[in-house]
């Protein structure tokens, strides 16, 4: 088989075209995405199982008598996941004010919140509170009211430096412990 | 001996077009696929066009990804994902392997997308091919998961974005008891268990890919898994050269307490990130759901209206049980089963599974006694149609009959006009369905030559048409072109739909060759013998 100028030209064309295609793959594989970030961010990532309140009472003698012998538990308990209010202030300005309801079809999932809020960079006096919602407290009575009065209330305030492109993370230490600010 | 009467009582269509193209995508074809097809054929020629090798090239690139991935796995540490990838990247071999791994993964996705588009344009997505389409979409899904987990593995800024935005969608689904997004709400970094799970997925999903791949190719006979050696070497050469000349850079390390201003996106896998950043997770999930449902339901909505596949049928009285159609069917739609009515001809008889038959007609061309084929396209019916054509065409000894597959270039005016000469067009279905007796009949009844224009082998709508035609004409495969036929007067040429000029010049050259051979005697009454001459009698 003899090699002609035409063959060389065709092969060079193929190589050039392949290089072009490969170049397109390289470019599309590293497309710069994003824009200069001017805001600072507050990421609130909270989750707690401590919003669950269990109210128990002793069964009366008559109630126990009415039950089959193997079901005679002396106590009867009922539990609620209490909606909480999450309030974030920057100085006098309210940045976020949200009542968190328990999720799930039976409203039995732990309270959780995970959102990122854009804030102007600079020094900020942050005040964050996370506590049982007032409306629930107001409508509660009896043992529930007592339990709610004793339920943990979380609050933290700190002066921090918010920097453009940086995230300040707010979370609950452990499973519903104290509020912590990272970053 | 079983002679077929070739009476003129047959239908008198001058051009008995038996076009079976089951596609619907004329617009997509004209404005999308065909220009690309033209460009690639101009550069590579249809024999070398990567567009016709998209499926096997995807396999090649995936194998490269697998091999390089195994190498990278040896040095990857879930306890220090970015650090270990950076260390790999610093090494000469490691950096090269990482680049090849990444480019091969990107190229595999390109090849897969082209393959899917090709199937869509050709209408190879519905009827008996629905399973193949659906398993193909599942394969794309698993490939995407491999890609996403791979990007996360490096734990650079892109991986971080993929993980966080992906978690926002997954957390909307009732799959996990704990939101995955919580893994990224930690100042001390992501737990090692997350990377362990990610690595597990990155390794386990390819195993699922293998199982799905088996399902994907199980519906076809003789699945082609490797491109021709030349194309394979060329593709690998480009990949290796590219990885050496343009190594993949490693973006900055992920930082959970920072929002990077700019992230280098691999659009082949992370194409959805710009959407994710600009719409709510709910809307994003809805978009994904629409895309997934839309792609999976293609076999039901992307199909020609009122077009039904007419499955092939076996005339058991003619079948001699030779098994050729069973071997040649590209879709494994024919089985050899015990005869229900015993016969001295054979214990077994061919039977078509209509659920698998795509009506390509290739079995028609394979059956010497002409006992099988889709309705109207068995060898006998082809002979009747050819006879009617000859009656109407009144060929002159210098005429060349252009027998062209209507699924490809066909008898396009661009070919006929450019070729000049004395050419009589005769359009058929898939070239592999043309019975060699038709060629014999055309020549014996007056044609100076027969030019069989087929699609390029790898672009055949029915996978193996040109291959079987070639075998039957030149290599004595049943039903072979008989020795009494002067094969200098027969030519098979393969050109794609965008190579009309090249096809025309090949046709013109053949016309000249035929003219140089001089005239030959014309038979006015032709008897075509059936090859399998065992008398077939049904014993009732
Ligand atoms: S090719 Fe014809 S004769 Fe042979 S098995 Fe098939 S139908 Fe029967
Ligand atoms: S027409 Fe014949 S060769 Fe084609 S798929 Fe059907 S049975 Fe197989």
């Amino acid at each position: 088989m003899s090699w002609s100028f035409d063959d060389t030209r065709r092969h060079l064309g193929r190589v050039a075209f392949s290089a072009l295609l490969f170049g397109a793959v390289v470019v599309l594989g590293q497309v710069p995405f994003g824009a200069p970030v001017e805001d600072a961010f507050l990421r609130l990532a909270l989750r707690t199982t401590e919003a669950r309140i269990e109210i128990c009472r002793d069964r009366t003698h008559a109630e126990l008598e009415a039950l089959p012998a193997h079901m005679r538990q002396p106590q009867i308990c009922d539990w609620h996941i209490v909606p909480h209010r999450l309030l974030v202030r920057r100085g006098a300005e309210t940045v976020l004010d949200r009542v968190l309801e328990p999720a799930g079809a039976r409203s039995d999932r732990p309270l959780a919140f995970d959102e990122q809020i854009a804030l102007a960079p600079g020094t900020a006096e942050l005040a964050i509170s996370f506590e049982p919602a007032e409306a629930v407290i107001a409508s509660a009575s009896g043992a529930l009211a007592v339990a709610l009065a004793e339920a943990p209330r979380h609050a933290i305030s700190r002066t921090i430096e918010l920097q453009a492109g940086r995230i300040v993370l707010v979370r609950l230490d452990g499973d519903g412990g104290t509020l912590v600010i990272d970053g | 001996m079983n002679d077929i009467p070739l009476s003129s009582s047959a239908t008198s269509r001058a051009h008995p077009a038996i076009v079976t193209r089951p596609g619907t995508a004329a617009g997509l074809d004209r404005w999308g696929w065909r220009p690309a097809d033209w460009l690639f054929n101009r550069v590579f020629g249809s024999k070398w066009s990567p567009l016709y090798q998209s499926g096997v090239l995807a396999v090649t690139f995936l194998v490269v990804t697998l091999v390089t991935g195994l190498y990278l796995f040896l040095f990857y540490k879930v306890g220090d994902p970015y650090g270990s990838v950076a260390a790999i990247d610093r090494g000469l071999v490691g950096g090269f392997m990482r680049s090849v791994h990444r480019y091969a993964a990107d190229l595999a996705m390109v090849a897969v997308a082209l393959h899917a588009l090709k199937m869509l344009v050709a209408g190879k997505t519905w009827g008996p091919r629905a399973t193949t389409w659906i398993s193909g979409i599942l394969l794309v899904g698993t490939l995407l998961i491999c890609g996403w987990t791979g990007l996360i593995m490096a734990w650079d800024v892109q991986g971080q974005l993929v993980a966080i935005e992906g978690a926002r969608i997954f957390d909307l689904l009732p799959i996990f008891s704990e939101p995955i997004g919580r893994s990224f709400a930690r100042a001390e970094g992501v737990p090692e268990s997350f990377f362990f799970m990610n690595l597990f997925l990155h390794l386990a999903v390819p195993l699922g890919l293998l199982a799905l791949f088996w399902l994907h190719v199980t519906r076809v006979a003789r699945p082609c898994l490797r491109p021709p050696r030349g194309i394979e070497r060329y593709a690998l050469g480009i990949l290796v050269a590219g990885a050496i000349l343009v190594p993949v850079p490693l973006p900055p390390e992920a930082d959970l307490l920072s929002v990077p201003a700019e992230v280098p996106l691999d659009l082949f896998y992370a194409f959805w990130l710009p959407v994710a950043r600009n719409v709510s997770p709910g809307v994003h999930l809805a978009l994904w759901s629409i895309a997934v449902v839309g792609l999976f339901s293609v076999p039901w909505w992307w199909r020609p209206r009122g077009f039904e596949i007419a499955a092939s049928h076996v005339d058991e009285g003619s079948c001699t049980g030779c098994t050729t159609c069973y071997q040649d069917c590209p879709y494994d739609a024919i089985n050899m089963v015990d005869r229900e009515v015993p016969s001295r001809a054979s214990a077994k008889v061919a039977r078509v599974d209509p659920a698998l038959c795509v009506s390509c007609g290739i079995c028609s061309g394979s059956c010497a006694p002409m006992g099988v084929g889709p309705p109207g396209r068995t060898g006998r019916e082809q002979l009747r149609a050819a006879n009617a054509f000859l009656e109407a065409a009144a060929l002159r000894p210098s005429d060349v009959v252009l027998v062209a597959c209507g699924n490809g270039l066909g008898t396009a005016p661009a070919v006929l006009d450019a070729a000049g000469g004395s050419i009589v067009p005769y359009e058929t279905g898939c070239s592999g369905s043309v019975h060699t007796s038709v060629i014999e009949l055309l020549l014996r009844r007056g044609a100076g030559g027969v030019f069989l224009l087929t699609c390029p082998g790898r672009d055949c709508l029915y996978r193996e048409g040109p291959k079987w035609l070639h075998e039957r004409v030149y290599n004595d495969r049943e039903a072979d072109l008989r020795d009494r036929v002067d094969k200098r007067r027969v030519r098979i040429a393969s050109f794609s739909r965008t190579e009309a000029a090249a096809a025309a010049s090949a046709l013109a050259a053949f016309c000249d060759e035929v003219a140089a051979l001089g005239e030959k005697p014309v038979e006015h009454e032709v008897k075509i013998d059936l090859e399998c001459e065992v008398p077939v009698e049904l014993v009732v």
Side-chain angles (χ1 to χ4, degrees):
Chain A
M1 208 174 75
S2 66
W3 191 262
S4 68
F5 176 68
D6 263 4
D7 287 335
T8 311
R9 219 180 50 169
R10 193 167 337 112
H11 280 276
L12 283 178
R14 284 176 184 172
V15 171
F17 188 69
S18 308
L20 208 70
L21 291 181
F22 189 81
V25 169
V26 171
V27 170
L28 292 175
Q30 299 161 35
V31 176
F33 169 65
V37 186
E38 282 157 12
D39 288 325
F41 296 90
L42 188 66
R43 181 169 181 188
L44 296 142
L46 311 175
R47 180 190 179 276
T48 179
T49 52
E50 302 230 326
R52 178 183 154 126
I53 289 183
E54 198 170 65
I55 296 162
C56 299
R57 69 173 175 81
D58 292 337
R59 281 198 164 110
T60 62
H61 187 70
E63 280 174 331
L64 285 171
E65 283 294 301
L67 290 169
H70 68 281
M71 289 176 67
R72 286 179 191 161
Q73 294 290 337
Q75 270 205 327
I76 182 166
C77 291
D78 198 6
W79 57 267
H80 311 263
I81 306 259
V82 179
H84 273 52
R85 181 185 183 196
L86 175 62
L87 183 64
V88 181
R89 286 171 171 280
R90 179 185 190 174
E93 178 199 359
T94 300
V95 174
L96 179 92
D97 187 356
R98 188 85 59 87
V99 173
L100 310 188
E101 303 280 350
R106 291 185 294 156
S107 298
D108 58 352
R109 309 300 302 157
L111 288 186
F113 184 79
D114 192 352
E115 266 182 35
Q116 202 158 285
I117 303 164
L119 296 174
T123 309
E125 274 177 40
L126 279 185
I128 302 163
S129 63
F130 184 62
E131 49 194 37
E134 287 95 341
V136 181
I137 297 172
S139 63
S141 59
L144 179 60
V146 175
L148 279 173
E150 289 167 6
R153 282 153 171 76
H154 305 284
I156 189 168
S157 34
R158 226 174 81 185
T159 303
I160 55 169
E161 195 57 36
L162 294 171
Q163 293 169 26
R166 297 293 301 169
I167 297 171
V168 170
L169 178 66
V170 179
R171 61 190 173 87
L172 283 164
D173 194 17
D175 191 10
T178 52
L179 274 173
V180 178
I181 298 180
D182 293 315
Chain B
M1 191 166 300
N2 205 348
D3 290 338
I4 295 179
L6 299 176
S7 73
S8 56
S9 63
T11 52
S12 60
R13 285 178 300 158
H15 305 286
I18 312 165
V19 179
T20 51
R21 177 168 284 275
T24 53
L28 188 59
D29 185 21
R30 181 169 305 159
W31 304 113
W33 185 259
R34 212 183 280 212
D37 193 29
W38 176 85
L39 182 63
F40 277 82
N41 285 334
R42 285 283 296 183
V43 178
F44 294 99
S46 55
K47 205 173 154 209
W48 280 71
S49 172
L51 287 191
Y52 301 156
Q53 310 284 344
S54 50
V56 282
L57 280 175
V59 175
T60 303
F61 292 131
L62 285 174
V63 169
V64 173
T65 318
L66 194 76
V67 172
T68 48
L70 286 174
Y71 175 86
L72 296 174
F73 172 65
L74 296 177
F75 304 98
Y76 182 73
K77 296 187 184 115
V78 285
D80 181 17
Y82 187 83
S84 58
V85 173
I88 292 170
D89 208 43
R90 278 193 295 274
L92 207 62
V93 179
F96 169 73
M97 286 297 211
R98 186 175 154 263
S99 294
V100 172
H101 187 68
R102 172 73 168 277
Y103 286 140
D106 287 350
L107 286 167
M109 189 46 96
V110 174
V112 163
L114 286 174
H115 187 60
L117 186 63
K118 186 170 188 287
M119 297 301 125
L120 209 60
V121 168
K124 293 163 88 168
T125 54
W126 58 279
R129 287 150 157 163
T131 313
T132 310
W133 173 263
I134 289 170
S135 58
I137 296 300
L138 285 170
L139 276 170
V140 174
T142 47
L143 186 57
L144 281 174
I145 294 173
C146 287
W148 296 333
T149 49
L151 292 176
I152 292 171
M153 270 175 84
W155 204 234
D156 54 25
V157 282
Q158 179 178 211
Q160 176 185 351
L161 210 55
V162 170
I164 290 176
E165 294 301 337
R168 292 208 312 152
I169 297 192
F170 275 108
D171 286 344
L172 291 181
L173 303 171
I175 302 176
F176 305 103
S177 58
E178 282 294 314
I180 325 173
R182 281 186 57 75
S183 305
F184 314 117
R186 298 155 56 102
E188 66 272 25
V190 178
E192 200 173 306
S193 58
F194 172 82
F195 291 109
F196 182 78
M197 181 53 87
N198 186 63
L199 175 66
F200 173 76
L201 280 176
H202 192 66
L203 295 177
V205 169
L207 294 178
L209 208 94
L210 283 181
L212 279 171
F213 186 74
W214 172 82
L215 183 68
H216 190 61
V217 297
T218 192
R219 280 289 175 102
V220 296
R222 299 168 290 280
C224 182
L225 301 179
R226 284 181 75 175
R229 195 164 294 175
I231 296 183
E232 189 178 66
R233 284 185 189 157
Y234 189 78
L236 293 178
I238 293 283
L239 178 61
V240 167
I244 292 170
L245 295 173
V246 199
V248 175
L250 183 63
E253 186 173 6
D255 177 357
L256 290 176
L257 294 185
S258 148
V259 177
E262 197 175 274
V263 175
L265 277 199
D266 184 342
L267 281 190
F268 299 103
Y269 292 90
F271 53 87
W272 49 276
L273 276 180
V275 179
R277 294 311 294 264
N278 289 300
V279 299
S280 70
V283 173
H284 189 198
L285 180 63
L287 291 175
W288 269 108
S289 308
I290 291 168
V292 168
V293 171
L295 283 172
F296 274 114
S297 58
V298 157
W300 290 272
W301 59 266
W302 188 272
R303 56 182 290 175
R305 276 200 206 106
F307 186 100
E308 286 304 328
I309 287 175
S312 192
H313 175 76
V314 177
D315 171 9
E316 297 192 6
S318 304
C319 176
T320 58
C322 72
T323 75
T324 314
C325 60
Y326 161 74
Q327 293 167 39
D328 287 5
C329 173
Y331 297 92
D332 268 346
I334 300 181
N335 291 309
M336 299 305 296
V337 299
D338 291 333
R339 281 184 188 271
E340 283 165 14
V341 181
S343 164
R344 270 186 290 152
S346 63
K348 300 262 184 196
V349 71
R351 182 153 309 153
V352 175
D353 180 346
L356 299 180
C357 174
V358 301
S359 198
C360 64
I362 285 174
C363 49
S364 312
S366 71
C367 184
M370 305 183 191
V372 62
R377 288 188 282 150
T378 63
R380 288 160 206 253
E381 284 154 328
Q382 287 184 37
L383 279 175
R384 283 196 197 100
N387 204 43
F389 161 77
L390 286 163
E391 298 284 334
L395 297 179
R396 288 165 299 158
S398 57
D399 286 342
V400 166
V401 178
L402 167 64
V403 177
C405 165
N407 300 316
L409 250 179
T411 52
V415 179
L416 293 170
D417 298 346
S422 182
I423 297 157
V424 185
Y426 184 74
E427 200 162 285
T428 66
C430 176
S431 60
S433 71
V434 176
H435 201 281
T436 49
S437 296
V438 170
I439 304 169
E440 182 181 346
L441 178 72
L442 292 172
L443 286 169
R444 289 173 66 185
R445 285 217 37 202
V450 173
F451 188 85
L452 295 141
L453 180 54
T454 78
C455 305
R458 294 288 303 151
D459 192 35
C460 172
L461 187 61
Y462 297 113
R463 301 185 59 238
E464 297 184 329
K467 173 178 112 179
W468 289 136
L469 179 68
H470 189 275
E471 291 299 300
R472 290 165 195 158
V473 169
Y474 295 120
N475 293 333
D476 292 336
R477 187 173 184 84
E478 294 291 350
D480 58 324
L481 185 62
R482 313 301 293 274
D483 289 339
R484 59 179 170 251
V485 177
D486 182 355
K487 291 187 183 163
R488 291 173 305 166
R489 294 180 182 273
V490 181
R491 175 71 40 84
I492 301 177
S494 300
F495 292 100
S496 86
R497 288 184 298 156
T498 55
E499 291 179 313
S505 62
L507 179 54
F510 179 66
C511 287
D512 291 345
E513 285 174 38
V514 167
L517 289 174
E519 292 189 6
K520 60 173 182 50
V522 175
E523 295 174 50
H524 293 289
E525 266 203 27
V526 178
K527 286 187 175 177
I528 301 282
D529 308 333
L530 295 190
E531 182 65 20
C532 298
E533 290 161 3
V534 184
V536 178
E537 291 173 67
L538 293 178
V539 180
V540 181

